Amino acid sequence: MKHLLILILISVVFRFSIAQNTAEPAVLIPKFIPEFIDFSPDDMYMVLENENQYEVWNMESPTKVLDGKYAFKLGRYATGVSIPTGSGYFLFGEEGVFMTIDYQRNNTAIKAFSLIDGTKLWESDELDMGVTMAETILSTDPYDSFDATTEAKQTANNFFTKDRFLDRLINYVPEKHAISLNGKNGLQLVDIRNGKTLWVQKEFKGGIGELLYEPHENKLLAITVPATDSALDELITVPEVKALNAETGELLWSVAYTGEFVPGYASLIQNTLVLPYLELTLIDIETGEERDGDIKERLKGTRDASRAIGGIMALDKALNGSQSQAQDNTGKYNRLIPRQLYFDQNGRLCYFTTFNDKGKLGVGVKKGYLNIDVHEDKVEVEKYSVLDNQWTVMQDHLSNGVFYVKSSGNMNRTIITAIDPENGEVIFETEKAKNSADLAKAFNPFLVNQDRIIDIVSKGIYIFDAKTGEKLAYSETKDLGVGSVMFSRFYDEGLILFGTKGVGLLDFNGEVVASVPSKNVKDCVVTNGEIWLLENKKFSRLDSKQGKTLEAIEFKQRENVFISASGGSFVRVDPKGKELFVYR
């Protein structure tokens, strides 16, 4: 789950929870009452914050490493809007650096401290970043507490920030122990250990949506986006992929792309960059040229049309604002589903798209499957007309050697089609789910867990056999008593469904394990055979196998409890905020 679980409990909860750990707690005395407590991915460090100041503690000692004040209020207070002014931090575990960033539209001040002894390593107010770029590249709520993509990235590299705007605006390159900032002086690569500017690329214009590092070629691949979300900038800026020498910053090549940038969607596969934003483009990262083969040839007839669509999308966004972001302008995918490319065991791209009877891609009404060698730009397998024109693809997914495609069709129904990625043959097609296409756009993706497909639709939950497509169970949402399902997640015994009226537990056979009335669930964690739920004024403990409520407490007197993502650190703040009790 998240890097932080905030549980507001009364003392009886503390006694129960802490009883599992017989060690005496360490008692820490902070200078201020913390509103937030965060933990590094490895549980080594703890960061206390309120809107004006911070403290960093070593959890093994435990001792305070450093403390300080922010120039501006914390950026994490914003919800889904651009932040022209704010403060936040990065914690880099591998380099042992804690970095604070105070930012305004035209200025950025950075201070870096040692996580060993708290000494200041360096500071600079000469660096800059494109703050307004946040409006362009944040297509979803940056404070979504179930953002697994960011969690996985931070866990892998042992760095952390709670400010999602900083996470987008400043790109961390762990292989170089550096961060990149793109501001009025151009693109800068800065060593986070000493603040040294490794290079500046003054010709670099526009904002950066994503920065990829390719170690064999020692190149940085910057996927650019418009610097602001103004109508003029959207229309005149040409989004590009720019390759730079990672040692010198030399601009090596650039390639334009069409479509709206989607974070994490581009894929770097050995020496090929796969760009799928509006049309599929395969780039040789050594030369910066599009690979000359099947995909390039078959897309020739649609390139101009795609670019026109890209301009229309920009104009639509400028005229209609954020409402256009929730719509699927291409008619291909529901944008509420995180996009991802899938590659089979041979490293070939599994790609479901539209084409006509003359083989032109991106046109026509037939939907079919392609298996593509991206390095040779060669279509190895082509299966024409898997779905006809009544179906619109909503989601695809590769799991256990099967490529699944979910589509919506007439009469408000959906189906899931299973395809053998090696030969394109249809393995099965599920029955048409009733009342399944959520017209409110609160679409939930289907999930695959071992031998089960769990398909969540607006009226209920289907469970299918993942190998045969046989329907094993169907549970109506109303029987769960959770209202409209907003999102879901797996745990060892089944599925947790978070709805507008409650939380439901469903096992992999489709049996309702439990239904817990709840409103505004703030967070959830599964630990030691239990599920813990936090609401505004209630805390519940459930048995994860039987769904039995072990404890449900409503409270008025408030104490704060913070638990790290790993569950290895447990911190209680006393009611007056003067002491922290740390259990490990």
Side-chain angles (χ1 to χ4, degrees):
M1 281 293 297
K2 291 322 301 164
H3 302 277
L4 171 63
L5 175 64
I6 306 178
L7 302 180
I8 305 176
L9 314 173
I10 58 176
S11 296
V12 64
V13 180
F14 302 145
R15 289 195 295 270
F16 173 83
S17 302
I18 297 170
Q20 301 180 55
N21 190 334
T22 56
E24 287 295 319
V27 180
L28 313 182
I29 302 177
K31 289 183 176 180
F32 59 88
I33 300 175
E35 295 182 50
F36 303 102
I37 298 182
D38 305 327
F39 303 87
S40 62
D42 60 0
D43 265 9
M44 176 71 74
Y45 299 100
M46 175 178 67
V47 183
L48 317 181
E49 288 182 300
N50 64 18
E51 64 177 6
N52 297 312
Q53 54 192 320
Y54 63 87
E55 292 183 358
V56 182
W57 291 74
N58 184 305
M59 294 293 284
E60 290 192 342
S61 309
T63 56
K64 182 166 67 175
V65 178
L66 64 102
D67 59 59
K69 293 185 178 181
Y70 291 127
F72 311 109
K73 292 187 182 300
L74 274 179
R76 70 165 71 186
Y77 281 95
T79 55
V81 296
S82 176
I83 307 178
T85 301
S87 294
Y89 74 84
F90 278 95
L91 189 151
F92 302 95
E94 295 297 328
E95 291 83 5
V97 173
F98 182 81
M99 180 184 297
T100 64
I101 301 178
D102 301 310
Y103 53 91
Q104 295 176 297
R105 286 191 184 277
N106 299 314
N107 187 50
T108 302
I110 298 179
K111 297 178 182 179
F113 304 89
S114 168
L115 282 170
I116 304 301
D117 56 15
T119 57
K120 183 186 293 183
L121 300 175
W122 59 272
E123 66 177 311
S124 174
D125 60 3
E126 298 299 320
L127 302 172
D128 186 39
M129 61 183 185
V131 175
T132 57
M133 182 177 62
E135 292 179 348
T136 301
I137 62 179
L138 286 173
S139 59
T140 58
D141 182 357
Y143 295 91
D144 177 9
S145 61
F146 294 88
D147 184 353
T149 303
T150 300
E151 178 186 356
K153 179 180 67 173
Q154 294 175 347
T155 301
N157 294 317
N158 195 26
F159 81 102
F160 180 69
T161 177
K162 282 296 290 186
D163 190 316
R164 296 298 174 84
F165 288 97
L166 290 180
D167 197 28
R168 295 295 191 201
L169 294 170
I170 294 181
N171 288 278
Y172 173 46
V173 186
E175 297 86 351
K176 298 296 181 182
H177 306 290
I179 57 173
S180 70
L181 304 94
N182 190 27
K184 54 181 178 289
N185 295 323
L187 183 66
Q188 306 157 90
L189 192 69
V190 179
D191 191 317
I192 60 177
R193 298 167 298 184
N194 53 32
K196 179 182 178 181
T197 299
L198 302 177
W199 46 257
V200 178
Q201 176 50 260
K202 295 183 179 180
E203 296 181 12
F204 202 104
K205 304 297 181 183
I208 298 179
E210 193 165 5
L211 192 68
L212 306 174
Y213 176 69
E214 204 295 307
H216 299 292
E217 295 284 332
N218 196 24
K219 292 178 179 177
L220 290 173
L221 305 176
I223 302 176
T224 69
V225 296
T228 74
D229 68 345
S230 72
L232 179 61
D233 207 13
E234 287 277 340
L235 291 172
I236 67 174
T237 301
V238 178
E240 295 178 307
V241 178
K242 295 180 181 292
L244 303 101
N245 184 308
E247 293 298 324
T248 66
E250 177 189 0
L251 184 60
L252 302 174
W253 52 259
S254 62
V255 176
Y257 70 87
T258 56
E260 185 174 342
F261 169 74
V262 179
Y265 195 14
S267 296
L268 186 58
I269 309 299
Q270 296 176 356
N271 62 339
T272 301
L273 178 65
V274 184
L275 294 179
Y277 298 132
L278 190 59
E279 58 191 26
L280 185 61
T281 307
L282 310 176
I283 306 298
D284 184 327
I285 64 171
E286 183 177 353
T287 64
E289 297 179 355
E290 184 177 1
R291 296 199 179 278
D292 192 2
D294 292 342
I295 298 301
K296 180 179 179 181
E297 178 66 25
R298 293 172 63 171
L299 277 170
K300 278 185 177 179
T302 60
R303 297 280 174 164
D304 291 341
S306 295
R307 293 187 179 95
I309 292 174
I312 293 171
M313 291 168 61
L315 182 59
D316 177 63
K317 183 176 180 181
L319 293 176
N320 298 312
S322 61
Q323 291 181 353
S324 64
Q325 294 182 1
Q327 299 171 359
D328 181 8
N329 292 298
T330 67
K332 185 178 179 183
Y333 291 108
N334 184 319
R335 293 192 181 185
L336 295 177
I337 305 303
R339 300 300 302 128
Q340 181 178 347
L341 293 179
Y342 296 98
F343 297 83
D344 66 15
Q345 60 183 0
N346 298 314
R348 296 197 295 255
L349 175 63
C350 302
Y351 196 65
F352 203 84
T353 188
T354 60
F355 48 91
N356 62 17
D357 55 2
K358 295 181 180 180
K360 293 293 184 181
L361 299 181
V363 297
V365 296
K366 300 296 184 181
K367 284 85 175 177
Y369 171 79
L370 301 177
N371 188 270
I372 305 168
D373 184 329
V374 297
H375 306 303
E376 299 294 332
D377 189 5
K378 181 181 179 182
V379 175
E380 299 287 355
V381 175
E382 178 175 339
K383 197 68 175 179
Y384 176 74
S385 195
V386 175
L387 296 172
D388 60 26
N389 62 347
Q390 71 167 301
W391 297 103
T392 299
V393 175
M394 304 175 74
Q395 178 195 359
D396 51 23
H397 182 74
L398 180 68
S399 179
N400 297 323
V402 179
F403 187 65
Y404 301 94
V405 177
K406 182 173 182 177
S407 309
S408 63
N410 298 335
M411 299 180 67
N412 197 28
R413 294 187 172 191
T414 61
I415 59 171
I416 296 176
T417 304
I419 299 171
D420 185 331
E422 300 296 320
N423 56 33
E425 296 294 330
V426 174
I427 302 171
F428 65 79
E429 187 175 277
T430 62
E431 68 175 57
K432 296 178 178 64
K434 299 178 180 180
N435 299 316
S436 52
D438 197 330
L439 300 180
K441 295 187 180 298
F443 175 79
N444 282 271
F446 69 85
L447 308 166
V448 181
N449 184 271
Q450 298 179 354
D451 59 348
R452 296 286 190 270
I453 300 173
I454 294 91
D455 186 24
I456 304 169
V457 299
S458 59
K459 298 293 185 180
I461 301 96
Y462 284 88
I463 295 183
F464 301 104
D465 186 295
K467 294 297 183 182
T468 67
E470 176 188 0
K471 186 178 76 172
L472 303 177
Y474 173 74
S475 302
E476 292 192 11
T477 307
K478 65 180 182 179
D479 294 334
L480 284 170
V482 301
S484 299
V485 176
M486 303 302 293
F487 48 88
S488 56
R489 60 166 293 198
F490 281 125
Y491 69 108
D492 288 344
E493 283 77 32
L495 188 70
I496 306 176
L497 302 166
F498 299 86
T500 54
K501 297 180 180 179
V503 174
L505 305 183
L506 201 71
D507 67 21
F508 291 124
N509 293 316
E511 297 295 329
V512 178
V513 178
S515 178
V516 182
S518 58
K519 293 182 179 179
N520 300 319
V521 174
K522 298 301 182 183
D523 222 327
C524 169
V525 71
V526 180
T527 178
N528 297 325
E530 294 186 12
I531 298 172
W532 294 357
L533 299 175
L534 170 68
E535 303 169 60
N536 283 332
K537 295 183 179 181
K538 184 180 179 181
F539 170 71
S540 302
R541 291 175 38 240
L542 312 177
D543 183 289
S544 64
K545 292 183 179 180
Q546 301 178 356
K548 179 181 178 182
T549 299
L550 303 175
E551 194 167 23
I553 301 172
E554 296 185 6
F555 44 84
K556 293 182 180 179
Q557 179 185 358
R558 293 192 172 189
E559 287 184 296
N560 292 339
V561 171
F562 301 83
I563 300 177
S564 66
S566 68
S569 300
F570 184 102
V571 179
R572 175 170 65 92
V573 184
D574 74 345
K576 297 182 179 180
K578 294 182 178 180
E579 294 180 320
L580 306 182
F581 299 89
V582 180
Y583 302 82
R584 287 172 61 84

